[in-house]
Amino acid sequence: MPSPQLSVVVPTYKERGNVAELVRRLDLALSGIAWEVIFVDDNSPDGTAALAKEIAATDSRVRCLRRVGRRGLAGACIEGMSASAAPFVAVIDGDLQHDEKVLPAMLAKLQGGAADLVAGTRYVEGGSAASFSQGRGAISRLATRLTHRLVGTNLSDPMSGFFMLRRDRFDEIAPRLSPVGFKILLDIAATGGGKLRIAEQPYNFGERFDGESKFNAQIGVEFLGLLLAKATGDLVDPRFIFFALVGTIGLVVHLVALRLSLWLLPADLPDLFRTAQFIATFIAMTSNFLLNNELTYKDRRLKGWAMARGFVLFCLIGSVGVLTNIDLASWLYIDHSRWLLAGAAGAIMSALWNYAMSTLFVWRAR
Ligand code: GDD
Ligand code: MN
């Protein structure tokens, strides 16, 4: 059998009901082309990987990479493309919303040598996104406008997860791609920059065949993080957007706890404000720890004993910040009697310190 010209990478999470149908449709669409499909499954509980491997056992064009202990669409695409040895790689959703029938046209554009990347698009003549719900359609259009504004890209549909590119180009830029989030095409185009010649291929975005979408609010925030990173020339880590978000929530938690403590503690307590500020700081620190563990560092999430140890470390790091926080805030409070300003200034100080130190020590990269 000839070695594949085209690797079709399919990220999957809970797509068991779509795997066989996708292979069947790829077989129809790609007749005459030496192709393979690489399912990259994040250990879906519905047994998507097991089914893909069952098909692979009798069809050598089918491969499956089962990732354990990791989650994320972009990361799955990066690993799937990295596993390809073919000259061309495509990425297509596993739920049959992307039209596999345009794959040969995309391949022809690359083989002609006029482009390095062909991006599927719903937003030019010949393409459509009619199957989007009203809400999702609006989010997609808003994100597209925001992207055009913040990131210099000429993609008409930067949100599309459907594209094909030369593998040598992918290999060059792969080390600079972010495994976080949903928007792998935008990341590739922005990272590749002007050197990457881009063509587009219109397609009709269809209905999901089986199962449910994994899109959610967290993925939306991750996308903002990616935009921020690209808009600052990778100066700001995409993770930072979650720092900022958790920090803001922590600040609100802190101020609410401070206000409540000031009400609830006996008014004649000698060190009333200091004590209230201390309690508020502890509550905000706990909430920051839990939220950061869930969101900011979800790829390095601490569990069980490691989580308990992490929390102790987080508090130790925090307590250095707390000392300056309490002193700064008490000083501001005594001199100016503004509880809001004093509390906020102290909290911001310790938040900055906590973030820097926790990235270095609590959730350090393994
Ligand atoms: N391995 C892996 N890990 N795959 C994932 C994960 C994950 O954490 N999350 C989602 N996927 C897979 C799904 O199984 C599916 O094959 C594909 O990624 C797209 O996910 P959907 O859940 O179907 O997303 P969607 O239809 O809401 O979003 C699609 O449309 C957007 C258009 O605005 C995707 O194509 C997006 O990439 C696209 O931007
Ligand atoms: Mn989908």
Side-chain angles (χ1 to χ4, degrees):
M1 220 178 74
S3 49
Q5 273 289 106
L6 172 68
S7 303
V8 181
V9 172
V10 186
T12 57
Y13 191 71
K14 295 199 260 186
E15 304 287 4
R16 190 184 167 90
N18 297 317
V19 167
E21 178 63 15
L22 180 61
V23 172
R24 194 185 69 81
R25 291 196 198 176
L26 286 175
D27 184 43
L28 288 178
L30 295 171
S31 68
I33 296 167
W35 62 276
E36 66 173 351
V37 59
I38 306 173
F39 289 97
V40 186
D41 185 69
D42 288 356
N43 203 18
S44 304
D46 68 352
T48 304
L51 177 62
K53 288 185 186 194
E54 215 177 289
I55 300 173
T58 58
D59 187 340
S60 60
R61 298 170 305 181
V62 179
R63 292 165 60 195
C64 175
L65 172 62
R66 175 185 171 213
R67 305 201 306 165
V68 291
R70 305 208 273 302
R71 260 307 295 278
L73 177 52
C77 295
I78 292 171
E79 289 191 34
M81 289 188 275
S82 301
S84 163
F88 303 102
V89 285
V91 171
I92 189 169
D93 282 356
D95 59 0
L96 307 158
Q97 288 197 277
H98 295 154
D99 184 3
E100 77 291 339
K101 290 191 292 300
V102 303
L103 285 168
M106 294 164 99
L107 183 62
K109 284 179 188 169
L110 292 181
Q111 283 172 329
D116 303 313
L117 168 80
V118 181
T121 174
R122 298 161 290 192
Y123 300 135
V124 302
E125 188 70 40
S128 79
S131 69
F132 253 150
S133 70
Q134 243 182 20
R136 268 305 292 278
I139 293 178
S140 177
R141 281 191 305 276
L142 179 73
T144 302
R145 276 213 302 280
L146 211 61
T147 306
H148 283 142
R149 190 155 280 201
L150 290 176
V151 185
T153 176
N154 33 27
L155 293 168
S156 64
D157 187 2
M159 305 297 112
S160 171
F162 184 30
F163 58 91
M164 192 187 290
L165 81 165
R166 293 169 52 136
R167 190 186 44 92
D168 56 351
R169 293 287 182 276
F170 169 77
D171 286 341
E172 273 167 38
I173 60 175
R176 285 178 283 145
L177 297 175
S178 160
V180 178
F182 250 45
K183 300 312 166 202
I184 179 72
L185 170 64
L186 175 61
D187 196 12
I188 289 176
T191 305
K195 278 203 321 207
L196 202 67
R197 293 165 307 153
I198 300 177
E200 294 201 313
Q201 172 66 50
Y203 72 96
N204 297 316
F205 191 60
E207 300 282 350
R208 196 171 233 287
F209 185 72
D210 187 56
E212 287 165 8
S213 168
K214 281 92 209 172
F215 183 84
N216 58 29
Q218 186 180 333
I219 287 160
V221 177
E222 277 170 359
F223 173 64
L224 287 178
L226 179 64
L227 278 190
L228 193 68
K230 292 304 159 194
T232 57
D234 285 323
L235 192 70
V236 177
D237 192 289
R239 216 186 275 281
F240 176 78
I241 197 89
F242 286 98
F243 284 1
L245 192 70
V246 170
T248 310
I249 296 171
L251 184 61
V252 174
V253 169
H254 183 97
L255 294 175
V256 169
L258 179 63
R259 184 66 269 184
L260 286 176
S261 307
L262 285 174
W263 269 329
L264 296 175
L265 290 170
D268 53 354
L269 202 72
D271 252 343
L272 175 63
F273 188 80
R274 254 171 191 276
T275 312
Q277 179 73 341
F278 183 83
I279 292 171
T281 304
F282 185 76
I283 292 175
M285 215 151 67
T286 308
S287 117
N288 278 6
F289 176 82
L290 295 174
L291 285 174
N292 276 322
N293 200 43
E294 275 308 303
L295 299 171
T296 316
Y297 302 98
K298 77 172 191 320
D299 54 325
R300 306 174 186 174
R301 190 175 291 159
L302 303 172
K303 286 180 195 146
W305 279 112
M307 185 173 171
R309 209 182 51 209
F311 182 61
V312 172
L313 193 59
F314 188 77
C315 290
L316 281 177
I317 288 168
S319 61
V320 178
V322 166
L323 294 180
T324 46
N325 169 350
I326 294 183
D327 280 340
L328 178 74
S330 308
W331 175 74
L332 282 173
Y333 183 71
I334 289 160
D335 275 18
H336 308 280
S337 295
R338 295 245 181 89
W339 70 272
L340 189 73
L341 178 79
I348 288 171
M349 269 279 296
S350 52
L352 285 176
W353 162 268
N354 285 349
Y355 288 147
M357 291 299 118
S358 39
T359 306
L360 279 174
F361 298 113
V362 181
W363 289 279
R364 62 172 180 270
R366 273 167 233 153

